[in-house]
Amino acid sequence: MSYWGFRKVMSVSAKALPKVLDDSIDKAADRLAADQISAVIERLLYNEGGARLKTYMETCAHCGLCSDACHHYLSNNKDPKFSPAGKVRQTIDLIIRKKGNVSIEFIKRACEIAFTECNLCRRCVLYCPFGIDVAYLMIFVRRICHQLGVVPKFIQDTAHSHSATFNQMWVKEDEWIDTLFWQEEEAREEIPGLRIPVDQECAEIFYSVIGPEPKFRAQLIYQAAVIMNVAGMSWTMTAKPGWDSSNMCMYTGDHEMTARLKKVHFEAALRLKTKRIVMGECGHAFRSVTDVGNRYLGWKAPPLPVVHAIEFYHELISNKRINIVQKFDKPVTFHDPCNIVRGGGLHELARGIIDKTCEHFVEMHPNREHNYCCNAGGGIINCGPPYTSKRVRSNRVKADQLRDAKSWGARTIIAPCHNCHGGLEDIIKFYQLDMDIKFFSDIIYGCMDKNHPLTTEAIKKY
Amino acid sequence: MNRSDWDWSPGEKIIADLQQWRKNFHEVEAPCVSPDGERIAAVVRMQDAPSFICETKSAWKRGFDKIWGLRFLPDNRLLAIVSAAGKWTVAVEGVPWENWFDFVWDVHVCGAGCNIVAAAQNGGAYFAVLDGIPWRSAFPSLSNLTLSPDGRHSAAVVQTVPFNSGDVFQFRKGCYTVARDGNPWPDNFLNIWDLTFSPDSHSIAAESRISVEDYTIVVDGKPWQRGFLSVWKPLFHPFDHSVTAPVKIDKGWSLAKDGEVIWQQRFFQLWHHAYSRQGNHIAAIAAPGFGRWTIAVDGKAWPLTFNHLVTDMVLSPDGERIACIGKTDAKWHIAVDAGCWDGSYDMIWEPVFSDDSRHVAVKAEKKGEICFVVDGVPLNDRFVSAWDPVFGPSSDCVLLKGITRNGVYVRHVFKLAEYNIQ
Ligand code: SF4
Ligand code: SF4
């Protein structure tokens, strides 16, 4: 089977999606005045709807070739409402045709479609003969919703957290620093002398994570610290805002806050005169740092090199900065996260790590840039519990993919992205797949030689 | 910081042998040095023992469970955040403040008397502590802590209205404001960031988001009349109390004063503006187009641009000269007065002007070595680690502070004339 080949996508019986109740959408939309809606839309179309929007809207031939690319469409029994072009038709197309004169009910539905029925995964772009970026069009709809204040509650709360704290989980400044000290203390039990350097000027690496790590997954900071220390890297984290590279504002259509967050992140790394940013295993954060936030701010490329954990781990293993002493012995499969594979091209490096660290590898099909989204991405998982059931039901194809990989022996899924973890966990539970999920750092931490002498470049420096 | 009292006699002075520290202690963290270069200190540990501060020749007698944030004050005293028995405080020269807290962080120093302010938390309540004295009021959260130029007032962004997780409607009503010395402004805002005190320490200006789509500058609690698409950090004029800030309008950035746009030019980006000492010039880092970076002075961009970024802009004391660091094609350059010095580096630190504004010195890194450049002339000294250069009070000599390849910390004063720098 070729790498992009499709094993048969098994169909599961069609059930109507549960009615979703997010009172914040109703509450916010019901306060809108009709002229307010048209005024906001008119302003955004005029100021921000440039040639790209016009070209896409005027080029779409409604051929439907993008439909089979979308997991929402496939998982909802090919209901045309869920096809990429169908979502465009129900939202931005009508908005433009009606010159912004749309009803409150329309805005509520457009909000639901743009925020919870499209992951901005860009799979459909690969299949459109014109390369129309439906994700861009859905972000435009989200932008309108944001400016109208009609955004699903849970993701809006996350965006509010970003704006107030510069991290997505309302982590307070002292809680963050305390977490670093705590993880350092724990890890020192295992690796004597281990350090998590904080605000260390001139380190080679500025290591950034995302909000959920100090909140729920502190073990990832521990593992990163072990890997950095054993590899003898010159690295630092910051005690100041800017430690969180995530960016849910990118998904709520809040471009101004997206830019502000990236400024804080980049300036934290620049202030410490570090040479590059290494990011933890997150997909959307990578997109926000390397492709979106930098451009909003006027930087063609990020102002200093940005390296995703996949590239970094691959480098450490290839350069023998860390040595794998015993490979992970259970068969694994790999979920290609949209933002770092379709968006970032890191699929072969990821397979390079698997090759060096795992005994048995089962490809998921389709894979690489053709992989299906986990359905958590694009901020859908951040829309929270009101949409969980809809979200998992709308990704039956991912369950089929996983089931297929499992039938070839895979019990463990490696997914180097936080959102993918959340999305896949829900799918595994709902479809009773009985599989477990790991980050690369879980695998590497478990397989590496931790007795490698501590030869930090920082020590050599003085 | 009275630099006239420092030792400016030319020559090299060995201050400490860090190799010896390494032999004496199990762990030695990254050291810091005093402004005059006479002292060097680092947090050190013996195995499973508390942390100590080793200073120049020997370790202090008193240890703490944890020490971090080690730094020298402008008057050469040593400050650290320390913890004992689960409580935290600030210690100066090893002497802790009387009050201890559940956590302490974000230390700022200002004023002739080197006043110190830190953020602190006790039992989930947040406040600032100025020279050991906590604010009388505490808040559910605190950030953006700032100290006034005279060192006598502190301010921070505080949350004044608690709200439940997910209560997006309460958040939008505005739950944050600025507290000055613990007293909040009467009005709340959606968001408020980046506080700045006026030169006389009486007023405070800040960036604010006043609605989902409107940003503006707030001065002493009063927003400017006009909202913008976005704003960056405001500054007070050195004398006339007006406030300027970069603002985004009509798809471009410009500079506004007291709410009115004062520069005709529009930039793709504009930030980090600064006044000359007399207040007659304003310079800022600017992007005249997407992916092109330079300096704009009084609204006019330099013809010299960098394709990656411009950072670390510094105005000379007389306000007539500007130096900055630019990056093009992954290499760092030094730009002074719209011209680029020869040579490129792997990293360059913030430029330093002499008091008479005639000379510029920078610390730079090339191929793993730290070197210095003055007025475009590379100096001979090479270090593995070094601190910013300091000009002598008469602007005719420079103090270099660095650790040599042998692990020795040296303080080196040389006359500019040695390099024929006039
Ligand atoms: S971007 Fe992804 S989720 Fe959205 S329509 Fe295209 S394929 Fe479907
Ligand atoms: S494949 Fe492209 S042109 Fe065809 S319907 Fe989809 S977006 Fe339109």
Side-chain angles (χ1 to χ4, degrees), chain A residues 66 69-72 82-84 87 117-125 134-135 138 342 373:
Chain A
C66 51
C70 182
H71 51 284
H72 289 274
F82 291 93
S83 71
K87 287 177 262 200
E117 293 172 14
C118 174
N119 297 87
L120 316 176
C121 77
R122 294 196 165 128
R123 191 170 191 272
C124 51
V125 184
V134 172
M138 289 298 111
R342 211 159 20 251
C373 175

Side-chain angles (χ1 to χ4, degrees), chain A residues 29 55 72 80 101 162 181 199 241-242 291 296 329 349 382 391 422 435 459:
Chain A
T55 307
H72 289 274
N101 293 309
H162 271 307
F181 290 170
D199 284 335
D291 187 36
Y296 284 160
D329 58 1
L349 290 183
N382 305 78
R391 173 165 52 82
M435 297 173 86
I459 289 170

Side-chain angles (χ1 to χ4, degrees), chain B residues 341 350-354 359-363 373-375 389 391 398:
Chain B
W341 287 358
E350 187 178 283
V352 179
F353 274 99
S354 59
H359 305 291
V360 183
V362 293
K363 176 177 95 168
V373 188
V374 180
D375 294 350
F391 280 97
V398 178

